[in-house]
Amino acid sequence: MLNIIGSKRLEALKDKCGIFGIYGKGEDVARISFFGLYSLQHRGQEGAGITVTDGRRLKSVKGLGLVPSVFDKAKIESLTGFAAIGHTRYSTTGGNKLCNVQPIVLDFGPDQFALAHNGNIINAMELIKTLPKTVKLESTSDTEIMGHVIKNSPGRTWEEKILNSFEKLQGAFSMVALTKNKLLVFRDTFGFRPLVLGKLNGGAYVACSETCALDTIGARYVRDVAPGEVIIVDEKGFTVAGRVKSKRKSFCLFEYVYLARPDSIINKQLVHQVRQRSGELLSYEAPVAADMVVAVPDSGTSAAIGYSKASGIPYGEVLIKNRYIGRTFIQPEHKIREMGVKIKFNPLRQIVKGKRIIIVDDSIVRGTTIKKIVKVLKSCGAKKIHVRVTSPPVTDPCYFGIDTPDKNQLIASHMKVKQIEKHIGADSLAFLSLDGLIKASRLKSGILCSACFDGRYPMPVTGGFRKDVFE
Ligand code: AMP
């Protein structure tokens, strides 16, 4: 049995991921899942997996790396069945291990239960202690602990067990789960992470993290999975098994800032438009004279368009991104991360030279990316570099499924805006206010989680399930 408590292996436990599930007799469920996961690649690039059921047993293909490197034609064709779940995995440090790649499949004799999870269970360490001594954990994933908690909760059916496990599971979980004969879809009562239902023309139901996956596979959006809801998808279509009352909703604001794809619709808001409005509002909050507005591609693009539109300063491109290099965070070592920034963006020197440039990015976390970019643009002869960030300073770590680093690594936790401005070498620096960001989302502040910007966590996080707390 792996000893998780007090172990370095805890570092693998933070996940920000993409999930996908389908139930459809006669559909090529593995291939559809593959394309679904492909469009959720931005939510996780460390590993991917698909588990299918043919009614007799579950079968999985999982691996480290990007979706197209984990699956080839033969592997997809080996996954025959009528329902499937899939996962793209992402963690900051040390988590690059095959045992943590999801779906996590638990074997309970003839019974099997597979789970794919987006989120983070903050009381997982306490939950381990409540499990029967016979439980042998095979990964360092909180998802495996969740599976055992569910299995050991009262109830005749899996859905009853899931409903009865909610009060024990503290934290964020948007989930798809698979048994031999049904797909189960459920979401924590706070609704931290997105989760939607869709339907294919042939009648098959799908569930996934973001609507962009529905568009890719040609499915129609049906509705969001409500916070606290447990849904069964089987041959009868989809049925709500139950709904645990949501005392407080707390959707992650950072999904709009960075995590989600701009073409996804979340809480009825197109992410691209939320980002564009963020840019517009920032141009009113922090105007500055310049020759052009540019983006840190791709995450700052929608917002830069908004800033340009509202300010009347032309939008242009000065950084060409190598799209085949993963997100900079994927490299845990600081040195490699720095190199990652360099190999990721190449400047258009001729255009930069002599210009006053407003560069828009969605967020500053450690400050690594923007510092490098300012340096590169200055070395190309830029006259002025004004940095505009379309979110407030990230001051506090996330315990609910985003890989923001430990507090001491968050530059805004120990530096004021002016100090950061100096540190990154910009001529000016401004962040969008929290009010501005909420306004851009067009949602009520009471249903949003903004803890990474203001430290106001929607539930107590003391002793939260994080490496910095337990190591
Ligand atoms: P940093 O370089 O540490 O300041 O990180 C900020 C840059 O990383 C920005 O360009 C963001 O688009 C991007 N970013 C923000 N949050 C995350 C995250 N959780 N994972 C990966 N990249 C991120």
Side-chain angles (χ1 to χ4, degrees):
M1 177 176 170
L2 300 173
N3 175 19
I4 290 197
I5 301 167
S7 156
K8 288 248 177 219
R9 307 194 61 177
L10 272 172
E11 62 193 17
L13 289 161
K14 294 176 283 176
D15 292 289
K16 148 184 111 55
C17 306
I19 58 170
F20 185 88
I22 176 165
Y23 184 102
K25 291 215 159 123
E27 297 282 0
D28 189 348
V29 292
R31 198 175 303 271
I32 294 170
S33 301
F34 168 81
F35 285 111
L37 292 184
Y38 214 157
S39 51
L40 297 171
Q41 186 76 85
H42 60 291
R43 297 186 73 86
Q45 298 157 5
E46 285 186 7
I50 296 175
T51 300
V52 294
T53 177
D54 59 6
R56 279 170 287 132
R57 61 186 196 98
L58 304 191
K59 188 174 177 195
S60 307
V61 171
K62 302 197 260 183
L64 294 171
L66 299 173
V67 175
S69 62
V70 173
F71 297 98
D72 57 21
K73 194 166 173 276
K75 282 190 182 138
I76 292 174
E77 284 169 3
S78 73
L79 292 171
T80 50
F82 56 82
I85 59 171
H87 191 263
T88 56
R89 178 163 195 281
Y90 189 45
S91 73
T92 38
T93 52
N96 221 356
K97 295 186 189 110
L98 192 57
C99 65
N100 287 327
V101 177
Q102 298 193 23
I104 297 279
V105 183
L106 302 178
D107 279 300
F108 301 110
D111 209 5
Q112 286 178 301
F113 187 53
L115 292 135
H117 174 198
N118 174 206
N120 186 36
I121 300 298
I122 61 169
N123 65 335
M125 300 308 293
E126 287 86 66
L127 290 173
I128 294 178
K129 297 176 204 155
T130 68
L131 297 178
K133 295 274 171 294
T134 48
V135 170
K136 308 243 182 299
L137 295 173
E138 284 170 9
S139 71
T140 56
S141 161
D142 53 346
T143 311
E144 188 184 6
I145 299 163
M146 272 186 94
H148 287 288
V149 169
I150 292 170
K151 169 73 180 169
N152 288 289
S153 291
R156 281 177 308 109
T157 58
W158 280 106
E159 52 275 17
E160 282 175 15
K161 285 176 178 291
I162 292 169
L163 281 161
N164 287 324
S165 69
F166 265 57
E167 60 177 335
K168 287 173 238 158
L169 300 168
Q170 285 168 24
F173 53 94
S174 278
M175 311 281 305
V176 284
L178 194 67
T179 70
K180 276 184 210 169
N181 47 28
K182 60 190 159 197
L183 167 69
L184 294 154
V185 183
F186 53 105
R187 191 174 178 205
D188 66 75
T189 59
F190 290 79
F192 284 102
R193 302 279 143 229
L195 188 59
V196 295
L197 283 177
K199 195 176 184 182
L200 283 165
N201 270 343
Y205 281 100
V206 296
C208 52
S209 299
E210 290 181 38
T211 60
C212 65
L214 298 180
D215 299 333
T216 302
I217 61 162
R220 172 173 63 78
Y221 166 82
V222 174
R223 68 170 175 84
D224 285 11
V225 175
E229 205 172 26
V230 178
I231 290 172
I232 310 164
V233 189
D234 60 12
E235 65 230 336
K236 293 184 220 118
F238 87 87
T239 322
V240 177
R243 186 164 171 188
V244 180
K245 201 165 178 284
S246 174
K247 290 192 201 107
R248 172 176 176 180
K249 297 208 177 63
S250 193
F251 184 79
C252 168
L253 201 43
F254 209 74
E255 290 277 350
Y256 290 109
V257 171
Y258 171 79
L259 298 183
R261 249 172 61 161
D263 50 338
S264 286
I265 297 171
I266 302 185
N267 300 313
K268 306 205 166 20
Q269 301 297 328
L270 179 65
V271 174
H272 168 76
Q273 285 178 320
V274 174
R275 291 181 188 164
Q276 201 168 329
R277 288 196 290 270
S278 305
E280 282 169 28
L281 292 168
L282 184 56
S283 88
Y284 304 137
E285 287 186 9
V288 62
D291 303 308
M292 65 194 297
V293 178
V294 306
V296 174
D298 296 315
S299 54
T301 305
S302 307
I305 292 169
Y307 195 105
S308 159
K309 213 171 108 193
S311 63
I313 302 169
Y315 173 83
E317 294 217 9
V318 292
L319 292 169
I320 300 305
K321 184 177 173 183
N322 183 337
R323 294 204 158 72
Y324 304 98
I325 293 167
R327 289 184 165 191
T328 46
F329 267 57
I330 210 157
Q331 305 295 352
E333 305 262 327
H334 190 67
K335 264 193 186 157
I336 304 174
R337 210 167 36 233
E338 288 214 355
M339 192 174 79
V341 173
K342 266 196 241 162
I343 52 179
K344 206 163 152 180
F345 301 109
N346 200 23
L348 300 173
R349 286 173 184 278
Q350 288 81 346
I351 294 176
V352 173
K353 202 163 184 273
K355 300 264 176 32
R356 295 168 305 163
I357 293 173
I358 296 172
I359 183 148
V360 180
D361 202 2
D362 62 277
S363 57
I364 290 185
V365 181
R366 299 176 180 90
T368 319
T369 311
I370 200 68
K371 188 174 178 191
K372 275 272 158 216
I373 287 174
V374 171
K375 197 169 157 198
V376 165
L377 295 179
K378 288 249 160 151
S379 74
C380 294
K383 202 158 141 201
K384 295 270 179 212
I385 297 292
H386 301 288
V387 175
R388 293 295 178 269
V389 182
T390 50
S391 64
V394 175
T395 51
D396 291 84
C398 177
Y399 294 85
F400 303 104
I402 303 182
D403 298 313
T404 41
D406 307 343
K407 190 163 169 99
N408 55 16
Q409 288 177 40
L410 298 169
I411 194 165
S413 75
H414 55 271
M415 279 193 203
K416 300 226 171 333
V417 176
K418 275 283 161 206
Q419 290 171 298
I420 303 175
E421 181 182 283
K422 195 165 165 226
H423 174 82
I424 64 173
D427 294 287
S428 80
L429 166 69
F431 292 84
L432 181 64
S433 66
L434 183 55
D435 280 352
L437 180 59
I438 292 170
K439 206 167 159 195
S441 78
R442 296 208 171 142
L443 298 170
K444 293 202 181 79
S445 60
I447 64 156
L448 291 165
C449 178
S450 51
C452 58
F453 305 123
D454 59 12
R456 293 170 61 194
Y457 295 101
M459 65 176 79
V461 293
T462 344
F465 193 40
R466 285 182 63 95
K467 163 175 164 261
D468 49 315
V469 178
F470 283 91
E471 270 193 343

